[in-house]
Amino acid sequence: MVMQIQDPASQRLTWYKPPLTVLVIKKVHDAQILAPFVQLVHWLVHDKSMVVFVEAAVLDDTLLAEYGDFTSVKERLMTFRASTDDLTDKIDFTICLGGDGTLLHASSLFQQSVPPVMAFHLGSLGFLTPFEFNNFQEQVMNVLEGHAALTLRSRLQCVVLRKSQDDNKDKKKPTTILVLNEVVVDRGPSPYLSNIDLFLDGKHITSVQGDGLIVSTPTGSTAYAVAAGASMIHPSVPAIMVTPICPHSLSFRPIVVPAGVELKIMPSPEARNSASVSFDGRSQLTLRPGDSLYVTTSVYPVPSICAQDQISDWFDSLAECLHWNVRKKQKQMDELSDLTHSSSDNLEELDNNHDERPSDT
């Protein structure tokens, strides 16, 4: 058999029917987002005749009343509450206004299939938000017409299995959470080192002694993982990264494992304390002795719409947001004159030093 690797450039946005519904996610508690938000929803509703969904909490912002254009469109917006309403199969695509947190929030709203996400950079870092808002009409039109590339950002499916559930004493359904960046297992408020057992497809790999462990997607490799000393992986690479946090061992380095494996993480029997687990920086839980966390790649990725293409967007973000390989260039010199002059001076100096040495007696 010949292994075939998909060309990232082949991942393009294709509409099987014209998109009619759009979910608009805005950064909360940021007054600077309000004006772009009003402009966008007004244009989508009145100019493009689309059905626009927003979170119910967005309309509670009293500052929106200052925008006259919003009054005419407010009654035409569809609202939902993330904790109670299900958006499955109701949204054609999503537009995020803010920073990377808005994309993470959009991901959390869909625990199964995720509609394509278009993210505008109106936040702090903007590593995952490649679009600029100044010409949003033209850029959204390109998306509506299907002229865009996609990056399929893999997510991790995390299942927490309690000891009581494992012993069949509790029939409650295990907690399942999908994350886009990472799941972090650490010592929480305890003063003791974490002592965590790590299994891969049922085989015990190692025991983690240190502050904790980061299990991340390629998208999350440029988040907490890179701050903990890991490498950076392009989001199209099918992989899971395992990164220790301040390990009490000089040889414990980050590793990359295939996307199809299942990781099992649990406090060691001799651990002095429980472990704390967080999912994309939220939804914190406690792992007690006997509890287990199972992590594998989800079958539901996040289709992230590219401003240019997969490669250009990622390397632009590395340079602009993380200043990857940004440094002052060496001064240019004349190779014919400066190098020749420098070489002749060095040779002449060596000859002079040789002539001045005293002879042997």
Side-chain angles (χ1 to χ4, degrees), residues 48-205:
K48 306 310 297 178
S49 300
M50 299 194 71
V51 178
V52 178
F53 281 76
V54 298
E55 292 188 83
V58 170
L59 302 186
D60 297 334
D61 194 333
T62 56
L63 294 177
L64 281 174
E66 300 177 4
Y67 295 89
D69 289 347
F70 187 67
T71 305
S72 63
V73 76
K74 180 177 180 180
E75 299 300 326
R76 299 181 59 179
L77 299 179
M78 304 292 290
T79 61
F80 73 98
R81 297 191 181 276
S83 57
T84 58
D85 297 331
D86 185 11
L87 294 175
T88 304
D89 298 329
K90 294 181 180 179
I91 306 298
D92 291 328
F93 77 106
T94 301
I95 297 179
C96 294
L97 304 177
D100 295 344
T102 58
L103 183 60
L104 295 176
H105 180 57
S107 169
S108 69
L109 296 176
F110 300 90
Q111 291 299 298
Q112 293 185 9
S113 179
V114 185
V117 181
M118 182 181 191
F120 285 93
H121 175 35
L122 293 168
S124 300
L125 185 62
F127 192 92
L128 305 177
T129 54
F131 289 94
E132 298 294 334
F133 192 77
N134 50 8
N135 60 335
F136 75 91
Q137 297 95 334
E138 177 184 349
Q139 298 183 90
V140 175
M141 281 302 302
N142 286 335
V143 172
L144 294 177
E145 295 171 359
H147 304 314
L150 285 177
T151 297
L152 296 180
R153 299 184 180 275
S154 64
R155 295 193 290 179
L156 297 177
Q157 176 180 284
C158 307
V159 179
V160 177
L161 187 63
R162 300 298 182 184
K163 181 181 179 181
S164 58
Q165 296 169 336
D166 197 25
D167 293 341
N168 293 323
K169 296 177 182 178
D170 188 352
K171 298 299 183 180
K172 184 179 179 181
K173 187 177 180 180
T175 302
T176 301
I177 300 176
L178 297 188
V179 299
L180 179 58
N181 266 352
E182 74 277 306
V183 53
V184 178
V185 183
D186 58 27
R187 61 182 185 174
S190 172
Y192 299 110
L193 288 176
S194 292
N195 199 335
I196 303 167
D197 286 336
L198 175 64
F199 299 81
L200 193 151
D201 282 345
K203 177 179 175 59
H204 183 262
I205 300 301

Side-chain angles (χ1 to χ4, degrees), residues 251-271:
S251 60
F252 194 179
R253 307 303 302 162
I255 59 172
V256 178
V257 297
V261 303
E262 180 184 68
L263 299 175
K264 177 184 176 183
I265 303 169
M266 59 187 303
S268 299
E270 63 272 16

